[in-house]
Amino acid sequence: MSRNEQEMKELLRSLTLAAGAPGAEDEVRTLVRENLEGTGELSYDGLGSILCEKAGAADSPRIMIDGHMDEVGFMVQSISSEGRLNFVPLGGWWAHVLLSQRVDIVTSNAKVPGVIGSTPPHFLSAGKREKLLGLEDMYIDIGATSAEEAAEMGVRIGDTIVPHAEFCELSNPDILSSKAFDNRVGIGLMIETLLEFSSREHPNTIIGVGAAQEEIGCRGAATASEKAAPDVGIVLEGTPADDIPGFTEPQAILGKGPQIRFYDPTAISNRRLADLVAGVAAEAGIEIQLAVRRSGGTDAKSIHMHRSGVPTVVIGVPARYIHSHVSLISWQDYLNTGKLVCELLARLDSAAVESLSDFS
Ligand SMILES: [Zn+2]
């Protein structure tokens, strides 16, 4: 990719720190718009997904590069008379990662800082210490002492809540830490791909999509597909790394390159397209990882079932500890995934795409 690495990292940093709970992707959408203005034709679907269409040497095939903009978060469900916020999850959370964590409540005028309350061990019986607390029994402390005070801070029922995080490099500078690598890596690479092809030939039309509401059921990818009318779908994801204790045959190791997902319960990647991606990677000298996932799902769920069916593949950047306040990726994996997607796009001409779904 031709863009300066520092600029690329700065874009990824700002994307991860932006707030974007499902249905409230505004800050992410603004960053997508600001970075892609002038690169292609921008449009939006009715759920808030953003599309950027850039024609190359041909109007077709139409290649949809999808990343979802939203991150797992919460929504204020009610405010107690003591000023505590009760909340519902937006997306998949495990209660273990939540207690005593900083969050930001995104109100209509500012972000209100808060902390998810926890009981000190001093006050816990042996039985309670062993038990996993349910999200419905947690609350957020924003320093208010009454519902009125919370209202004065601007907090309302229905406000979204996101983890509060910082972006940093670990001592190994290849490893980056921030929230929401799922899926700001996908958004960052979707933007980088379009920027790359603003000065490079491509035998197709690229539609970059920042999809809304993936974490609650891949909703924006369905509505954005209506607008994008894709012939091929490429889904870019921050995929959960399994190079952690308990996995004997990991399929998403940090630093081992982009992952091609053949299967999860929501979609099967088009076999010919997945093989093409693997072939392109081999020619470009990019190490890849292959995955068959017993659980999980991506926007491919909505895209591959669009109209009469769209050949789709899921390409992931492994991200450790996702769906929490901190996740880790390898910067080299990010760069190599971008390179792979660009090499793929340069080859997806009409003959290549027709062969993907020629079942006659
Ligand atoms: Zn995701």
Side-chain angles (χ1 to χ4, degrees):
M1 316 204 53
S2 50
R3 231 157 72 93
N4 166 314
E5 268 190 45
Q6 251 349 88
E7 280 178 334
M8 291 175 72
K9 201 175 278 183
E10 175 52 32
L11 172 63
L12 181 61
R13 187 191 73 84
S14 56
L15 284 167
T16 62
L17 296 181
E25 296 91 353
D26 310 70
E27 290 187 7
V28 185
R29 186 169 45 244
T30 299
L31 285 168
V32 174
R33 185 179 59 237
E34 287 173 354
N35 279 279
L36 289 181
E37 219 135 47
T39 302
E41 191 188 331
L42 295 175
S43 66
Y44 305 86
D45 73 8
L47 296 189
S49 306
I50 181 168
L51 295 87
C52 179
E53 179 163 339
K54 153 107 183 39
D59 289 339
S60 70
R62 297 174 61 79
I63 317 293
M64 175 168 168
I65 307 282
D66 170 278
H68 68 85
M69 292 189 289
D70 59 317
E71 64 189 296
V72 288
F74 312 95
M75 185 179 278
V76 178
Q77 193 265 330
S78 63
I79 305 170
S80 77
S81 55
E82 297 92 355
R84 298 186 192 112
L85 313 183
N86 302 303
F87 57 91
V88 295
L90 299 177
W93 282 98
W94 189 35
H96 264 295
V97 300
L98 283 176
L99 295 179
S100 284
Q101 294 280 8
R102 282 278 312 274
V103 292
D104 290 316
I105 294 93
V106 183
T107 74
S108 51
N109 44 35
K111 282 182 190 160
V112 173
V115 169
I116 300 177
S118 71
T119 309
H122 316 61
F123 301 138
L124 291 173
S125 64
K128 275 196 171 164
R129 270 186 232 186
E130 299 298 316
K131 197 174 152 266
L132 186 65
L133 199 63
L135 267 65
E136 63 281 4
D137 295 320
M138 296 181 189
Y139 62 90
I140 294 169
D141 185 340
I142 54 170
T145 55
S146 66
E148 292 70 29
E149 220 177 296
E152 279 163 25
M153 294 176 185
V155 176
R156 301 278 182 279
I157 288 173
D159 284 347
T160 57
I161 304 161
V162 292
H164 183 86
E166 60 172 318
F167 181 97
C168 69
E169 286 175 356
L170 300 193
S171 294
N172 171 353
D174 185 50
I175 307 296
L176 306 179
S177 169
S178 193
K179 75 171 176 69
F181 281 134
D182 173 14
N183 183 36
R184 304 297 155 70
V185 296
I187 293 295
L189 290 173
M190 179 273 285
I191 292 172
E192 297 295 350
T193 302
L194 277 150
L195 293 177
E196 172 83 2
F197 283 102
S198 64
S199 59
R200 183 170 159 186
E201 298 267 298
H202 56 108
N204 45 40
T205 289
I206 303 171
I207 306 101
V209 172
Q213 301 189 27
E214 188 265 359
E215 297 289 358
I216 51 169
C218 308
R219 298 174 188 175
T223 49
S225 292
E226 285 292 330
K227 287 200 65 112
D231 299 308
V232 170
I234 297 169
V235 176
L236 303 179
E237 260 291 357
T239 197
D242 55 1
D243 55 350
I244 51 178
F247 292 83
T248 49
E249 303 286 346
Q251 299 184 329
I253 302 172
L254 259 63
K256 292 280 186 188
Q259 180 204 70
I260 302 174
R261 184 184 294 206
F262 282 89
Y263 168 88
D264 68 43
T266 69
I268 296 174
S269 284
N270 176 287
R271 168 67 57 172
R272 294 171 195 165
L273 180 55
D275 287 347
L276 179 64
V277 179
V280 168
E283 272 180 48
I286 299 169
E287 190 180 10
I288 54 167
Q289 311 183 64
L290 306 181
V292 171
R293 295 278 320 279
R294 292 179 198 276
S295 59
T298 72
D299 273 345
K301 173 188 179 184
S302 300
I303 298 167
H304 85 294
M305 299 272 280
H306 180 65
R307 301 252 165 119
S308 59
V310 178
T312 300
V313 68
V314 181
I315 303 176
V317 178
R320 232 179 257 155
Y321 316 130
I322 60 172
H323 288 220
S324 76
H325 277 61
V326 243
S327 47
L328 304 178
I329 62 159
S330 151
W331 179 241
Q332 285 308 313
D333 287 346
Y334 183 82
L335 294 176
N336 283 329
T337 305
K339 192 172 159 197
L340 176 58
V341 171
C342 289
E343 291 312 310
L344 176 67
L345 270 168
R347 301 191 196 198
L348 286 174
D349 57 16
S350 54
V353 169
E354 275 161 29
S355 73
L356 298 176
S357 54
D358 179 5
F359 298 109
S360 60

